[in-house]
Amino acid sequence: MNESDGLAPAVQSILDAARERAPDGERVSVSPRSLPDALAAAEADGRVPTIAEVKPTSPTTDGEREDDPVALAEQMVAGGAAALSVLTEPEHFGGSPENLRAIRDAVDVPVLRKDFLLREAQLDAVEADVVLLIARFLGDDLEPMLDAARERGFQALVEVHDRAELAKAVEAGADIVGVNNRDLAKLEVDLSTFEAVAPHVPADVTLLAESGVSTPADARRMREAGADGLLVGSAIMDGDVTENTRTLVNA
């Protein structure tokens, strides 16, 4: 299957931009902060393990958040976030490697690089604790990209949407998997997506629910379905990020 078959125009535009983006930087070597450990520590502390996302803008949201990214990140950690996700995609999400670098220097929690990585050299743009690898976009290149990320020291969050992509992720050796509740063809969000895929994830895989968690009830629903952690962007970025984070981690 061509990885771009059936994608929504907004997603296709993101993918096209990722193909054109020139790699930047020498090969990195990372000593990562453990994402699974951070999620487990949050749970032991009585918090819903939450990865809060610093997302200045998005094709699926209205408006743009112009606050200092470092200040936003610190406020999310103050609200109880176990880890952070930072957009580095510039054209559609207003992100940058510089934002991630500054945030990672300012906080002591794991930081996920949220971008659309298609080639090994793109891994070297910035040091992070975790990188996102999207199974649908990478296709047969998933396993070599996963290996290349680990060779640099990165942990890798492999994103899937259905059981077929999950099977490919597990076969490739993924040990952190995120189920995206957003359909990249229609951009519709359905929390039952996670509920359908989660029972088939191996017990030794750290499992995240991505997209569509907006309320404490949503958070509880995903946790009850087996999520070890939640990745939340828009619901935290819309308003007071400290209070929004605190509301979800105390769900």
Side-chain angles (χ1 to χ4, degrees):
M1 180 189 79
N2 187 318
E3 75 277 2
S4 63
D5 284 348
L7 293 176
V11 178
Q12 185 63 59
S13 177
I14 293 168
L15 192 60
D16 291 343
R19 289 196 184 100
E20 296 300 320
R21 204 178 318 149
D24 182 23
E26 299 179 357
R27 183 184 173 106
V28 300
S29 179
V30 181
S31 296
R33 304 160 188 166
S34 172
L35 178 60
D37 287 353
L39 299 176
E43 183 168 25
D45 194 37
R47 290 175 283 146
V48 174
T50 302
I51 305 171
E53 188 160 271
V54 181
K55 181 167 62 173
T57 189
S58 164
T60 60
T61 58
D62 295 326
E64 185 172 352
R65 190 77 185 250
E66 297 182 352
D67 308 53
D68 174 30
V70 173
L72 289 171
E74 291 174 333
Q75 291 161 23
M76 292 169 178
V77 174
L84 298 173
S85 171
V86 180
L87 266 296
T88 59
E89 199 280 347
E91 290 93 347
H92 302 80
F93 291 89
S96 71
E98 292 74 23
N99 284 351
L100 188 148
R101 187 176 296 111
I103 288 170
R104 189 166 182 256
D105 286 343
V107 301
D108 59 2
V109 301
V111 177
L112 162 70
R113 179 186 175 195
K114 183 81 171 287
D115 208 325
F116 304 85
L117 306 177
L118 302 176
R119 302 187 302 280
E120 179 178 345
Q122 291 174 329
L123 292 165
D124 296 316
V126 65
E127 293 183 14
D129 301 293
V130 192
V131 291
L132 176 70
L133 302 178
I134 301 175
R136 179 167 184 171
F137 289 176
L138 287 168
D140 293 339
D141 292 329
L142 175 59
E143 185 170 355
M145 277 289 282
L146 185 57
D147 291 342
R150 288 174 171 161
E151 287 169 1
R152 290 161 169 79
F154 292 115
Q155 300 160 96
L157 166 59
V158 179
E159 179 180 297
V160 306
H161 182 67
D162 55 29
R163 287 181 60 183
E165 291 178 1
L166 171 65
K168 292 178 181 178
V170 171
E171 183 178 359
D175 55 8
I176 307 174
V177 168
V179 178
N180 191 348
N181 288 309
R182 189 183 304 279
D183 181 350
L184 297 181
K186 300 178 180 178
L187 295 183
E188 296 173 351
V189 175
D190 184 352
L191 295 183
S192 68
T193 301
F194 181 87
E195 292 166 328
V197 175
H200 306 282
V201 176
D204 60 348
V205 168
T206 298
L207 177 61
L208 304 178
E210 304 177 33
S211 300
V213 175
S214 300
T215 66
D218 293 338
R220 291 191 295 270
R221 178 177 171 182
M222 294 293 91
R223 290 281 284 160
E224 290 167 0
D228 297 307
L230 313 175
L231 176 57
V232 185
S234 299
I236 288 177
M237 288 292 291
D238 185 13
D240 184 326
V241 298
T242 302
E243 187 56 37
N244 290 343
T245 305
R246 186 175 290 124
T247 295
L248 287 176
V249 304
N250 291 322

